[in-house]
Amino acid sequence: MWSDPSAGRSASLAAPPSSSAQAASGPTPGTSDPGPSSSSSSGPPKKPLVKLQRFGACFAKEAVDLNELRELLWSGVPDEADPSVRAKAWQLMLGYLPVHVERQVTGLSKKRREYRELVKDYFERSPEMRSDNENQILRQIRVDIPRTNPGFKFFGDAVMHGIMERTLFIWALRNPASGYVQGINDLITPFLVVFLASYLNKRDEDLHELEISEVPSEVLEHIEADAYWCLSKMLADIQDHYTFGQPGIQRMVLRLKEIVKRIDEALYDHLTNNGLEFLQFSFRWMNCFLMREFPMRCVIRLWDTYIAEQASGFSNFHVYVCAVFLVYWAPQLKMMDFQQMMLFMQKFPTEQWRPQQIETLLAEAYVLKSLFHSSPKHLS
Amino acid sequence: MDAYDYLFKFILIGDSAVGKSCILTSLIENKFKKGSSHTIGVEFGSKIINVSGKRVKLQIWDTAGQERYRSVTRSYYRGAAGALIVYDITNRDTYHHLINWLADARTLARADISIIAVGNKSDLKDKRAVTFLEASRCAQENEILFLETSALTGEGVEEVFVKVAKMILNKIEDGMQHIEEGLGYHGLFSGLIDPATMMSGVHAGARSLLNEASPAEPASRCISC
């Protein structure tokens, strides 16, 4: 049965979730083959190495087996991995990089060429030809880009602003049902960080002081195109998050409410008795996939799993992660009134969180999801 | 420490990047928040201010400016006793949209909501695109209050909130007078506020003298909007 993730933990705000044995091994993705993988058979010290070898073997095949990759990526790319591993795994799972190794080079250069055409068609047209609506979109993007601040110096650089402006503007014009919505600027940043890390062969945590001028322009062009296509793939599954009325988000907030009511009714009652509405605190969680709640290193780890889940990661599994995250803070929240809760939930003490803590959330969310999916009546 | 006479709910609205969140941070933390991200949906802040000898607790909902978020932000209008419509004095478009925001507030909020137009970024004198005089006239024609602020220097920030709170207090006192005259709250025309109704965005605190009718509640008790 579902166990309270906060059970047995210190009530101290500073205390991060303990890294449980469950988190260390991680569940296997339950899409097609829920059976346990061999990854749990080796001892803990050797584990990352074994996993690295498995990634290597997976990529070395003539055609990458996406089921195998899904299973590997679900439990995260190990810290020890070459930075290109994550970039490659994301691009493959998102359907951007062809699975057939021989087609990868030509496939990528074709997409990058295509992107250059899009820039010409949509962005480099003379400004007089832009409609009022297009100007309004561009204005909003230009206002938001300098305010995109995921903790890396290079996001303040004009060159990076140019990259974001073009990708976001082109995406908005090609997806008129939603257009550009504030927060999508946040969503492109993990792609930019992961792809930059891959090209520069640096860990993403070593990119904090990176000067964009040190990066060859050819590399930047590739990263821009790759980030554009991967963002497009990711958003394709969650478009109704950003269309009129944002029905996708409303639906997820409602579902979160139902799940929390089911797994921690005392917390649910406490929230509602204090007049707190789920939309008031969880809208942002859905709109930006907890990017505002976690440091980038944690967001990237979260996305390993979401991307591995393919279409349902961002649109479905995320709700379970949110539910576990909320219930994790239940001991603190239950001591607070409306105002204290609102303020607390606007700035969770998560700045020091490490990917290992995200893995605990993911493991518990996985258990929760399995529980609900095996007996959907829980939600009726 | 936390005791107050009244609890007022405010809403901060206006185009994006005019400085709504910075005004809120300036009020609460007395400092300018540099490098902050844009608001997603709605954020929340609170502060107790002194108005005409009363301690007034403000609960402020700070909304995202982008059109697409209206479906989320509009639900916050109804419970608000005061609204700050913010524009950027260096950007005429944001000033022109003031009228749209006002229309929104008038449609979605209670009829007795107290509204102030706020021209922010008054420190950027060289870039000024909207004069004080024209904005002041516009506010007068639309029967709303008006002030300029600089969230950067803090100039005018607290005054804005005090001004709106004062207006609401006056409405409450007018209402009290009517009660003393035996008219009661409910027979009144709109424009007067009943602190005993939850829906008004106004709530009497434990210190309040008006509280005789209802049992004493803990001062920190909050209501939803």
Side-chain angles (χ1 to χ4, degrees):
Chain A
M1 208 32 215
W2 166 250
S3 67
D4 182 351
S6 59
R9 273 199 302 263
S10 153
S12 151
L13 288 190
S18 56
S19 188
S20 66
Q22 184 187 26
S25 64
T28 47
T31 37
S32 54
D33 174 20
S37 71
S38 58
S39 66
S40 56
S41 59
S42 52
K46 282 189 202 152
K47 240 192 103 254
L49 207 63
V50 171
K51 197 164 175 203
L52 278 185
Q53 284 165 354
R54 291 189 65 206
F55 267 111
C58 183
F59 290 153
K61 285 183 187 156
E62 226 172 278
V64 175
D65 177 352
L66 286 183
N67 283 326
E68 187 189 349
L69 181 60
R70 174 185 301 131
E71 192 186 301
L72 285 170
L73 184 60
W74 204 101
S75 51
V77 176
D79 288 344
E80 295 77 5
D82 183 285
S84 67
V85 169
R86 177 171 274 130
K88 205 168 181 180
W90 283 19
Q91 292 179 2
L92 279 160
M93 285 313 300
L94 286 165
Y96 173 57
L97 186 66
V99 289
H100 290 275
V101 173
E102 83 222 21
R103 288 185 207 154
Q104 286 177 346
V105 175
T106 48
L108 277 188
S109 47
K110 181 170 162 270
K111 293 307 273 184
R112 288 168 184 163
R113 251 195 333 270
E114 251 180 71
Y115 177 74
R116 277 201 296 278
E117 291 302 313
L118 293 179
V119 173
K120 269 188 210 141
D121 291 348
Y122 289 92
F123 193 79
E124 288 170 353
R125 272 181 310 165
S126 108
E128 291 85 58
M129 285 178 62
R130 284 188 193 127
S131 69
D132 285 351
N133 180 45
E134 288 172 11
N135 280 321
Q136 204 188 335
I137 291 171
L138 196 56
R139 181 197 161 264
Q140 185 70 57
I141 289 171
R142 285 183 173 154
V143 155
D144 288 345
I145 284 175
R147 302 193 283 175
T148 310
N149 185 21
F152 292 79
K153 198 168 129 194
F154 62 80
F155 280 109
D157 191 284
V159 173
M160 188 48 86
H161 289 179
I163 289 174
M164 293 180 70
E165 190 173 309
R166 285 185 292 274
T167 48
L168 295 173
F169 184 64
I170 294 168
W171 186 87
L173 262 50
R174 285 168 61 83
N175 294 275
S178 63
Y180 169 74
V181 177
Q182 291 187 302
I184 296 180
N185 57 323
D186 288 1
L187 299 183
I188 198 171
T189 58
F191 292 117
L192 292 168
V193 170
V194 167
F195 298 165
L196 255 180
S198 168
Y199 268 100
L200 301 177
N201 197 23
K202 287 186 175 181
R203 310 211 164 278
D204 45 69
E205 298 208 6
D206 295 333
L207 293 180
H208 283 276
E209 292 306 312
L210 176 79
E211 298 283 348
I212 263 315
S213 55
E214 293 167 13
V215 184
S217 60
E218 187 191 283
V219 169
L220 289 175
E221 269 175 42
H222 288 174
I223 287 164
E224 177 175 339
D226 296 352
Y228 169 80
W229 290 114
C230 287
L231 178 76
S232 304
K233 298 269 187 191
M234 170 210 175
L235 290 174
D237 297 321
I238 47 167
Q239 259 228 284
D240 70 349
H241 273 54
Y242 306 106
T243 50
F244 180 77
Q246 304 194 255
I249 290 186
Q250 304 275 0
R251 200 171 52 235
M252 281 175 89
V253 170
L254 197 66
R255 202 160 154 70
L256 173 67
K257 196 173 159 179
E258 288 166 341
I259 294 171
V260 172
K261 185 175 182 187
R262 172 77 194 153
I263 61 172
D264 191 342
E265 202 166 356
L267 175 65
Y268 177 87
D269 289 344
H270 178 71
L271 297 175
T272 46
N273 291 343
N274 276 280
L276 208 68
E277 286 169 35
F278 276 66
L279 196 67
Q280 287 167 342
F281 60 86
S282 68
F283 180 84
R284 184 175 52 241
W285 300 2
M286 305 306 173
N287 198 81
C288 296
F289 296 101
L290 294 169
M291 283 200 64
R292 296 283 179 101
E293 279 65 36
F294 295 129
M296 183 59 95
R297 57 181 180 265
C298 292
V299 171
I300 288 173
R301 174 59 195 88
L302 194 60
W303 284 31
D304 281 348
T305 301
Y306 287 178
I307 290 172
E309 286 254 336
Q310 287 181 297
S312 69
F314 291 96
S315 62
N316 182 23
F317 188 62
H318 178 62
V319 183
Y320 293 95
V321 174
C322 289
V324 171
F325 183 64
L326 181 65
V327 171
Y328 171 76
W329 301 105
Q332 288 87 11
L333 291 170
K334 283 173 185 167
M335 314 276 290
M336 299 178 186
D337 65 18
F338 171 86
Q339 179 166 319
Q340 289 164 329
M341 285 193 282
M342 272 313 296
L343 294 173
F344 180 72
M345 290 205 266
Q346 256 163 215
K347 209 176 181 325
F348 282 104
T350 48
E351 311 92 64
Q352 299 307 320
W353 273 35
R354 307 294 309 174
Q356 288 72 22
Q357 284 148 296
I358 298 298
E359 292 185 347
T360 310
L361 288 185
L362 288 166
E364 287 169 352
Y366 177 78
V367 173
L368 187 57
K369 184 187 151 199
S370 313
L371 192 76
F372 272 78
H373 279 228
S374 58
S375 49
K377 274 185 192 143
H378 283 162
L379 281 179
S380 62
Chain B
M1 244 341 249
D2 204 32
Y4 55 86
D5 300 301
Y6 291 105
L7 172 68
F8 293 171
K9 297 196 177 211
F10 280 15
I11 180 169
L12 268 162
I13 52 179
D15 278 10
S16 63
V18 295
K20 296 179 292 296
S21 301
C22 289
I23 287 177
L24 184 58
T25 309
S26 174
L27 174 79
I28 292 168
E29 295 174 28
N30 287 314
K31 68 177 184 199
F32 184 68
K33 201 164 137 202
K34 227 179 147 190
S36 55
S37 301
H38 52 78
T39 306
I40 299 291
V42 176
E43 285 180 13
F44 176 84
S46 177
K47 183 174 181 167
I48 294 180
I49 55 171
N50 289 307
V51 188
S52 319
K54 295 271 194 301
R55 280 171 69 78
V56 175
K57 179 172 184 153
L58 301 179
Q59 285 189 337
I60 304 148
W61 293 102
D62 169 28
T63 67
Q66 200 188 1
E67 178 87 26
R68 182 55 41 86
Y69 286 122
R70 296 281 173 94
S71 58
V72 181
T73 54
R74 60 192 306 151
S75 62
Y76 292 83
Y77 284 77
R78 208 168 37 119
L84 279 69
I85 307 180
V86 186
Y87 67 92
D88 171 357
I89 66 150
T90 71
N91 183 331
R92 277 202 81 76
D93 283 347
T94 67
Y95 171 70
H96 289 312
H97 297 154
L98 196 137
I99 218 74
N100 305 348
W101 289 107
L102 183 61
D104 261 18
R106 292 250 154 94
T107 334
L108 298 169
R110 290 167 48 87
D112 54 18
I113 190 168
S114 303
I115 303 172
I116 189 165
V118 181
N120 190 37
K121 309 193 188 180
S122 64
D123 51 286
L124 298 174
K125 292 186 183 73
D126 300 343
K127 293 187 180 165
R128 181 184 280 278
V130 183
T131 68
F132 186 95
L133 192 66
E134 64 178 315
S136 171
R137 273 191 195 135
C138 170
Q140 207 165 28
E141 280 162 20
N142 288 288
E143 299 175 314
I144 57 175
L145 302 167
F146 168 65
L147 263 184
E148 284 191 350
T149 56
S150 164
L152 182 71
T153 66
E155 200 183 335
V157 171
E158 181 146 342
E159 287 88 323
V160 166
F161 291 91
V162 169
K163 208 165 175 167
V164 181
K166 221 174 231 169
M167 191 172 180
I168 299 168
L169 271 179
N170 288 342
K171 287 178 187 175
I172 294 172
E173 275 157 22
D174 286 352
M176 291 304 296
Q177 241 163 28
H178 279 76
I179 287 183
E180 282 163 18
E181 289 160 15
L183 297 173
Y185 282 125
H186 302 290
L188 298 177
F189 293 105
S190 68
L192 299 175
I193 285 177
D194 173 2
T197 353
M198 300 254 180
M199 282 307 298
S200 63
V202 172
H203 191 57
R207 271 177 36 136
S208 174
L209 298 171
L210 295 172
N211 231 9
E212 295 145 11
S214 57
E217 300 275 4
S220 58
R221 182 168 179 269
C222 296
I223 50 163
S224 81
C225 56

